[in-house]
Amino acid sequence: MAEHRSMQRAALLDAARSLLSEGGTEALTFPALAERTGLARSSVYEYFRSRAAVVEELCEADFPVWAAEVAAAMEQAESAEGKVEAYVRRQLALVGDRRHRAVVAISASELDAGAREKIRAAHGGLVAMIVEALADLGHGQPRLAAMLLQGVVDAAVRRIELGAAEDPTAITDAAVSMALRGVLG
């Protein structure tokens, strides 16, 4: 029985990922989850008490996965500059990934404090990885620079998500250039 429940829970989370990546948080409704999984709506409530609970569990499952991918890309870089570049490139390369899209949709949504706190903690972990590389580059305020750098990445993510006029490669290259050389590019 427990195995069956965990499979249904996994199916619900996967359906939630799809709904989020297709239509953002508005698309994530219990009727839609029920429809996608073939479960009765009342069954969905047995697994999750609210949309926020679905979102929280997705964050716990997905954020560490892509944070680990970013960390792995950074570890392969030889220099501090290479780490900064890997940090930007890997996050932007993950944009097409459904998990990443779900996380972006979640980050942009109106969430309860618990879910927001989890996202902040996960984002904090991501930013902490880059603080060290920026300190190694001799930056006077690596923590501030890291927050601003993540802002550039987030803006580039949104640009790619929107299917902006520029090619995703051009957006990525511009973000890397800005990360490494500032607006003087």
Side-chain angles (χ1 to χ4, degrees):
M1 185 64 195
E3 193 175 317
H4 178 67
R5 281 190 66 81
S6 83
M7 279 171 63
Q8 287 196 323
R9 188 175 209 94
L12 282 165
L13 287 174
D14 209 49
R17 266 182 210 109
S18 295
L19 289 165
L20 283 166
S21 72
E22 289 160 22
T25 39
E26 303 76 59
L28 180 61
T29 64
F30 278 31
L33 283 171
E35 193 183 316
R36 286 277 165 111
T37 54
L39 292 169
R41 200 182 308 183
S42 59
S43 298
V44 178
Y45 283 98
E46 285 174 33
Y47 291 92
F48 299 105
R49 65 185 188 286
S50 64
R51 281 181 359 148
V54 178
V55 161
E56 257 182 76
E57 194 153 322
L58 268 182
C59 289
E60 281 175 40
D62 293 356
F63 237 120
V65 173
W66 66 271
E69 290 198 29
V70 174
M74 288 175 70
E75 278 163 27
Q76 289 178 344
E78 310 282 301
S79 64
E81 204 165 303
K83 284 185 195 314
V84 173
E85 180 164 352
Y87 177 83
V88 175
R89 283 195 188 281
R90 193 69 200 117
Q91 284 191 69
L92 297 179
L94 289 168
V95 171
D97 184 292
R98 268 187 337 143
R99 281 172 193 269
H100 183 276
R101 286 234 292 283
V103 168
V104 170
I106 288 165
S107 302
S109 71
E110 58 328 302
L111 296 170
D112 67 21
R116 262 205 313 273
E117 198 37 60
K118 289 203 168 98
I119 289 175
R120 238 196 310 279
H123 251 295
L126 213 50
V127 171
M129 295 192 292
I130 201 66
V131 170
E132 195 181 330
L134 292 167
D136 291 346
L137 281 173
H139 202 289
Q141 290 180 286
R143 180 111 194 106
L144 173 61
M147 301 303 270
L148 296 175
L149 171 57
Q150 187 58 44
V152 169
V153 173
D154 293 342
V157 164
R158 280 192 298 277
R159 209 81 202 131
I160 293 170
E161 288 272 325
L162 287 169
E166 311 88 0
D167 174 65
T169 311
I171 295 170
T172 300
D173 290 344
V176 167
S177 172
M178 191 165 271
L180 294 175
R181 286 175 281 289
V183 288
L184 298 177

